[in-house]
Amino acid sequence: MKNIRAIAAKDIKASFVTPVAYVVISGFILISGFFFFSLVQRFNSVLRQAALMPTMKPNLNEWVITPYYNTLTIVLIFLIPILSMGAIAEEKQKGTFELLATSPLSVSDIVVGKFFGIVFVAMAMLVISFVFPLVLLIFADPEVMPVIVGFIGVSLFAISFSAIALAASAATHSQIVAAVLSLVSLLLLFVIDAPAAKLDGSLAAFLVYFSPSDHVEKFIKGIVSGTDVVYFVSLVLVGLFATTRVIEAERLR
């Protein structure tokens, strides 16, 4: 654990020494804040309409919380590749990765340490963005469970995608290529269930299960399922396994 903490701390410090982390976090908060207040404004308009229609009972979670969390997942698909692109690719580009790969550190220490470095910054973004739903919890009356469980789901989404993006960073010497590779991979994974509507049987069920959008949607609705947790944990393990294999191949060379 000591080696993992040291690698993670080094990467976290490096992220905040350069403007990358500040720019990504600031951009994420600006985008999330813009969408949140736009959704609140739209909900207020619906409330004014509901005052004239007694049968209309708009739900705060349905109009604000659910679309807000869904927006965060889409934004994360584009920002996580930026956070992760330099995790390993930058060290390869600078020539420092060879020293790391041939050091006494185990491959698992390197991979997990790098992974925690990305996750720390991603979670910092999400924790700050949770201020907006927290305002609703304090000053309004939303359903509490979907707010809390939804945040957990979005966090698992970000953590699992960070593992996949880390593997993309390990596969190349170019940060730009790493960012593009991880972005394409995450987008394909996110929309892999699109053909399911035109398919039947086990193939359709497989595509739906393999897509993270369906799993995170259940969390956003306040539903906690062991199947969904296992799915995100599996994505993390697949990403870390792929990264480990790439680094082991580098060591052999």
Side-chain angles (χ1 to χ4, degrees), residues 137-181:
L137 288 174
I138 296 172
F139 296 103
D141 190 28
E143 298 174 44
V144 177
M145 282 303 293
V147 176
I148 304 299
V149 175
F151 177 76
I152 294 172
V154 175
S155 299
L156 289 173
F157 179 93
I159 291 169
S160 60
F161 271 32
S162 296
I164 301 297
L166 179 63
S169 180
T172 178
H173 288 69
S174 169
Q175 294 186 63
I176 302 301
V177 173
V180 173
L181 181 60

Side-chain angles (χ1 to χ4, degrees), residues 193-204:
D193 62 335
K198 298 181 180 180
L199 299 172
D200 296 316
S202 58
L203 180 58

Side-chain angles (χ1 to χ4, degrees), residues 226-244:
T227 303
D228 301 318
V229 174
V230 168
Y231 169 81
F232 286 116
V233 171
S234 298
L235 272 188
V236 171
L237 295 178
V238 167
L240 298 183
F241 175 76
T243 307
T244 300

Side-chain angles (χ1 to χ4, degrees), residues 88-172:
I88 296 177
E90 184 180 13
E91 295 210 32
K92 287 184 178 181
Q93 198 173 43
K94 292 180 177 178
T96 57
F97 181 75
E98 286 75 9
L99 297 175
L100 185 63
T102 56
S103 68
L105 296 172
S106 68
V107 174
S108 59
D109 286 345
I110 297 171
V111 172
V112 176
K114 293 285 184 182
F115 172 65
F116 282 160
I118 299 171
V119 168
F120 179 88
V121 181
M123 288 305 301
M125 290 195 313
L126 287 175
V127 168
I128 297 172
S129 71
F130 186 69
V131 169
F132 301 119
L134 187 61
V135 169
L136 289 184
L137 288 174
I138 296 172
F139 296 103
D141 190 28
E143 298 174 44
V144 177
M145 282 303 293
V147 176
I148 304 299
V149 175
F151 177 76
I152 294 172
V154 175
S155 299
L156 289 173
F157 179 93
I159 291 169
S160 60
F161 271 32
S162 296
I164 301 297
L166 179 63
S169 180
T172 178

Side-chain angles (χ1 to χ4, degrees), residues 7-8 18 20 45 53 63-64 78 81 83-84 104 136 141-142 164 166 186 189 197 203 229 233 235 245:
I7 294 172
T18 62
V20 174
S45 300
M53 302 172 63
W63 283 91
V64 179
F78 293 90
L83 288 178
S84 62
L136 289 184
D141 190 28
I164 301 297
L166 179 63
L186 299 182
L189 187 61
L203 180 58
V229 174
V233 171
L235 272 188
R245 297 294 296 180

